Amino acid sequence: MPLPLYLLALAVFAMGTSEFMLAGLLPDIASDLDVTVGTAGTLTSGFAIGMIVGAPLVAALARTWPRRPALLGFVLVFAAAHAAGAVTTSFPLLFATRVVAALTNAGFLAVALTAAAGLVSPDRKGRALAVLLSGTTVATIAGVPGGSVLGAALGWRATFWAVAVLCLPAALGILKGVPAGRGEDEATGRPALRTELAQLTRPRLLLVMLLGALVNAATFGSLTFLAPVVTDSAGLGELWISVALVLFGAGSFVGVTAAGRLSDRSPGPVIAVGGPLLLIGWPALAVLADEPAALLTLVFVQGALSFALGSTLITRVLYEAAGAPTMAGSYATAALNVGAAVGPLVAAATLGTEAGILGPLWASGLLVTVALLIALPLLSVVTARRSTEVPR
């Protein structure tokens, strides 16, 4: 894999740390800003909504920009939004900074996904996506738990400052490592924006986007509210939240790495085997949440299965959107973040039910059930090969 791909992954690490870090910070944010934990959880949904809107909008605006300055600008604005969030005492303003950060994150990912696919041969998109998404999985292993520990020691604001600082070496890496010239598709011409947007009328593209969104909704729904499960259901101390996040991140790294080697040529087995196992895992986690050893083991397993299945489906989005070379990344980003927006909202709605803090785990199981009821009867359609040739 080319070096610029790993430099893009470094920036994704910084952004992934921000996107996931709230899982360990929500109780402190809620207490500091005098809101409920459920209300604080809307910060995750607000971030995701910003990415849903921002992915196609910013990608459309940036499709004529050279990639290096576009990526650099997105990272610097992302850093500034976190600096503003670190000093505010207003929850609405904090929410607004999350939306701004999300818009720039969406723009970055939309351009980066397209750039990553363009750095490798057409039949290695899955591998390239796995490298890029490894920035997110490493964030869940190191960045998010580190942020949780930093937040516990110095307060949640310190974590926001840390993300802002983390963006600086990522920006330097982009400046030094991403080619200054235009990509091949930029140099030789590209389809009109209307032609690229018309890809969204293709049923198979919409199908894989929907499936990716459902799986990601299940992932974010439980991950956002994992902290109270660890401390209340399992009876563990606050530092064990970081341990749980490390285990989830380690599992996700294993899952996305394994899937990266299979999603290009054998996506069917990943979906057919990983999907039912993921479905079993969420309710099992709810039932065994009061057993610390079982809880921590299943957190690792669910991280692996969630990212293996999710990254495979998002790879399918890139394949199905081959006719939209500058917008395909935004379609994949939108699919990921529709799930990231819906999941925490569905999970938060279950907190006031009899299921209590275990409600999000049951909700995740339901979301995966819906995904499998759609995917398994149409597995041959979901995994069908499509030419990667881009119409001119």
Side-chain angles (χ1 to χ4, degrees):
M1 293 289 108
L3 176 61
L5 192 56
Y6 292 95
L7 296 172
L8 293 175
L10 174 63
V12 172
F13 168 75
M15 295 180 176
T17 296
S18 172
E19 187 169 6
F20 285 99
M21 70 184 182
L22 293 185
L25 302 177
L26 286 182
D28 288 343
I29 292 175
S31 175
D32 187 23
L33 300 183
D34 196 26
V35 296
T36 66
V37 172
T39 299
T42 62
L43 291 172
T44 299
S45 294
F47 192 95
I49 290 170
M51 292 193 70
I52 294 167
V53 175
L57 177 62
V58 180
L61 291 174
R63 69 193 300 267
T64 59
W65 301 350
R67 286 171 180 165
R68 186 167 73 179
L71 292 169
L72 182 62
F74 289 139
V75 169
L76 293 178
V77 175
F78 186 84
H82 281 76
V87 300
T88 186
T89 58
S90 165
F91 182 80
L93 185 55
L94 178 61
F95 188 93
T97 66
R98 296 299 288 169
V99 174
V100 171
L103 289 171
T104 54
N105 190 359
F108 179 87
L109 278 179
V111 176
L113 282 166
T114 303
L119 290 171
V120 298
S121 59
D123 63 343
R124 303 186 76 192
K125 287 183 180 181
R127 292 289 300 277
L129 180 63
V131 171
L132 193 66
L133 290 182
S134 70
T136 298
T137 59
V138 173
T140 61
I141 297 170
V144 176
S148 181
V149 171
L150 184 62
L154 301 177
W156 64 270
R157 298 176 189 278
T159 304
F160 274 66
W161 279 117
V163 170
V165 172
L166 188 61
C167 289
L168 300 182
L172 182 61
I174 291 169
L175 187 62
K176 296 295 185 180
V178 175
R182 294 177 177 268
E184 181 180 349
D185 63 292
E186 296 172 297
T188 59
R190 60 164 71 90
L193 178 59
R194 179 181 299 179
T195 301
E196 296 201 44
L197 292 176
Q199 294 293 305
L200 290 172
T201 63
R202 299 183 61 252
R204 205 158 68 188
L205 173 58
L206 295 175
L207 173 62
V208 291
M209 290 176 68
L210 172 62
L211 295 175
L214 286 169
V215 170
N216 206 43
T219 303
F220 267 80
S222 287
L223 186 63
T224 299
F225 298 101
L226 183 61
V229 175
V230 172
T231 56
D232 296 349
S233 293
L236 298 171
E238 288 190 3
L239 288 178
W240 283 95
I241 297 173
S242 298
V243 174
L245 291 172
V246 168
L247 288 171
F248 185 90
S252 66
F253 183 79
V254 170
V256 78
T257 300
R261 299 180 179 277
L262 296 172
S263 57
D264 287 314
R265 294 182 174 85
S266 304
V270 177
I271 298 171
V273 176
L277 291 176
L278 182 63
L279 170 59
I280 294 170
W282 288 125
L285 191 54
V287 171
L288 299 173
D290 58 347
E291 298 290 339
L295 170 70
L296 296 175
T297 300
L298 284 170
V299 163
F300 174 87
V301 172
Q302 291 303 94
L305 293 171
S306 294
F307 273 77
L309 188 60
S311 65
T312 296
L313 290 168
I314 295 305
T315 299
R316 301 313 303 167
V317 174
L318 294 178
Y319 274 110
E320 291 301 327
T326 67
M327 295 296 291
S330 71
Y331 302 158
T333 302
L336 281 169
N337 287 282
V338 165
V342 171
L345 293 176
V346 173
T350 68
L351 294 174
T353 67
E354 292 184 1
I357 59 175
L358 298 179
L361 302 176
W362 291 106
S364 292
L366 179 61
L367 289 165
V368 175
T369 298
V370 174
L372 291 181
L373 287 175
I374 298 171
L376 293 182
L378 299 172
L379 188 60
S380 61
V381 176
V382 173
T383 60
R385 289 186 177 272
R386 180 173 187 257
S387 173
T388 56
E389 182 182 354
V390 178
R392 297 298 184 188

